[in-house]
Amino acid sequence: MRDVAGKAALITGGGSGIGRGTVLALAGAGAHVAVADIDAGRAGEVATEGSARGADCIPVTLDVNRQEDFDAARDVMLERFGRIDIVMNNVGLIAAGLPEHIPLSEWERIVSTNLLSVVRSNAAFLPLLLEQGSGHIVNTASTAGLFAYAYERLPYSATKAGVIAMSEALALYLRPRGVGITCLCPGPVMTNIGEGFKMWGPPVRMRGPGKDLAPLAPEVVGEQVLDAIRTDRFLLLTHPELQEVLIARARDPEPWLAGQIADISSES
Ligand SMILES: NC(=O)c1ccc[n+]([C@@H]2O[C@H](COP(=O)([O-])OP(=O)(O)OC[C@H]3O[C@@H](n4cnc5c(N)ncnc54)[C@H](O)[C@@H]3O)[C@@H](O)[C@H]2O)c1
């Protein structure tokens, strides 16, 4: 999709952080945006910010755990914009704690919010995108789903790996049918992600994907997403240097894993 001007986008979790950054980037490039968030106040503020860039941005109150909210958002967009071109599935929550301390009920909550949310979105939007034979999906995963650097957020890592696998397999299906897909794997980004953070058992130290990674502003990531949509790029690493880690692991997983364990041991 070389030009997003006049196109219509939905962004879940659009009221803050990476979602907000992408709303502003798309609106700045002339796209109309439905800012979908469980927090109606935030959705409204970001829609106002986006509209100030000259595009038509509307707030949509949506909980990604509810299929009916996705269906209603689709209907609202068709009524307001008359079209849907870009869908960004961007909500993700972190549950932390040692593996034996995170209960099944919490796993179920994180699987529903981080992974099944994309399934719900697909149910609402894929038939339409396939029928028109055009459009672009962006799924926000995480570096945590690409390789293991911590053991204290298993539901997060597992669901993000699921988003990556689903997105890659969907690329096989969608691209030949005219629909693009990007899997965004952010490294550290300065957002409000800590707000939805839940700790189980005694507090554990949170480990990042790499000591030397500079945290990015969400507006920078928004521009990266816009570029990936325009160039139909599948894997979007906000920190491209992490590709070296993926190469090292693929070359020989055993010494790579031993190295990760040694790093963690040396820190504790
Ligand atoms: N910030 C980082 O360093 C980082 C790194 C890797 C991946 N990510 C991923 O980026 C995505 C966006 O996170 P962020 O860092 O911008 O966080 P954020 O907290 O700044 O924004 C998340 C937004 O999602 C909304 N939200 C929460 N639950 C919702 C629900 N059930 N339905 C609809 N909206 C809901 C919140 O109200 C908030 O506005 C997440 O999937 C996260 O896992 C973030």
Side-chain angles (χ1 to χ4, degrees):
M1 193 182 295
R2 297 297 315 171
D3 189 6
V4 303
K7 301 286 196 318
L10 170 112
I11 302 181
T12 68
S16 173
I18 292 169
R20 173 181 166 274
T22 308
V23 171
L24 298 183
L26 283 170
H32 310 306
V33 189
V35 183
D37 207 287
I38 198 167
D39 185 325
R42 277 185 172 167
E45 282 166 26
V46 175
T48 304
E49 272 188 283
S51 296
R53 301 193 168 203
D56 185 10
C57 296
I58 55 167
V60 173
T61 308
L62 168 148
D63 178 353
V64 296
N65 294 291
R66 290 164 50 94
Q67 182 66 53
E68 56 269 42
D69 286 5
F70 279 104
D71 296 342
R74 177 198 56 212
D75 296 345
V76 164
M77 288 182 74
L78 288 175
E79 198 176 315
R80 175 69 171 244
F81 305 130
R83 59 189 301 147
I84 299 172
D85 305 283
I86 298 163
V87 178
M88 180 173 184
N89 301 304
N90 174 64
V91 172
L93 300 179
I94 298 181
L98 294 178
E100 64 273 31
H101 289 153
I102 302 179
L104 178 62
S105 56
E106 182 65 347
W107 269 90
E108 287 170 344
R109 187 177 76 97
I110 299 296
V111 169
S112 175
T113 304
N114 293 10
L115 183 63
L116 295 181
S117 55
V118 187
V119 178
R120 294 183 192 103
S121 171
N122 287 343
F125 294 105
L126 268 192
L128 188 141
L129 299 182
L130 286 166
E131 195 186 328
Q132 68 194 22
S134 67
H136 199 98
I137 293 172
V138 181
N139 291 334
T140 305
S142 169
T143 312
L146 278 174
F147 63 88
Y149 55 82
Y151 51 69
E152 82 289 339
R153 70 195 86 158
L154 285 193
Y156 186 73
S157 306
T159 51
K160 292 301 189 177
V163 170
I164 295 167
M166 192 200 312
S167 304
E168 198 169 41
L170 266 176
L172 305 180
Y173 180 59
L174 296 179
R175 273 197 178 168
R177 292 165 176 80
V179 180
I181 181 163
T182 293
C183 186
L184 165 64
C185 290
V189 185
M190 291 173 288
T191 69
N192 294 313
I193 196 164
E195 282 177 6
F197 186 91
K198 201 161 175 184
M199 182 76 77
W200 295 86
V204 288
R205 203 166 66 84
M206 299 299 285
R207 198 169 185 268
K211 288 190 210 77
D212 303 327
L213 297 175
L216 294 176
E219 292 80 5
V220 171
V221 178
E223 292 296 334
Q224 291 177 335
V225 172
L226 173 60
D227 182 63
I229 293 170
R230 282 176 166 156
T231 56
D232 197 13
R233 183 185 179 123
F234 175 69
L235 183 61
L236 172 53
L237 301 175
T238 57
H239 296 69
E241 58 268 45
L242 286 175
Q243 194 152 2
E244 292 305 317
V245 181
L246 299 177
I247 292 167
R249 186 184 66 164
R251 195 179 292 121
D252 200 341
E254 283 301 330
W256 180 83
L257 194 59
Q260 293 293 91
I261 294 168
D263 278 356
I264 292 173
S265 306
S266 70
E267 291 165 11
S268 50

